[in-house]
Amino acid sequence: MTYEVLQIEPGPRPTWPVWQMTVRYDRDGRTATHCAGWSADRDRIRTGGNR
């Protein structure tokens, strides 16, 4: 499942190492907001047109 990150904000609790992310899914265009921790092994930042 791929998605575009629309917004990243610090999570709702300062003691948690999380980000609150709003995303738009490529498949159906729906948006969702969720909290997630960052994993350097799993997560990557891609910018521009290099999907």
Side-chain angles (χ1 to χ4, degrees):
M1 180 178 301
T2 59
Y3 55 84
E4 174 185 6
V5 176
L6 303 175
Q7 184 176 18
I8 300 175
E9 298 289 336
R13 297 187 178 153
T15 58
W16 290 2
V18 298
W19 298 98
Q20 181 171 297
M21 305 172 79
T22 302
V23 301
R24 178 177 30 239
Y25 292 97
D26 290 346
R27 188 164 106 186
D28 59 9
R30 72 182 167 93
T31 60
T33 299
H34 64 276
C35 289
W38 182 267
S39 169
D41 294 331
R42 179 192 68 212
D43 300 319
R44 302 285 183 269
I45 296 175
R46 296 190 291 177
T47 59
N50 61 351
R51 284 184 166 196

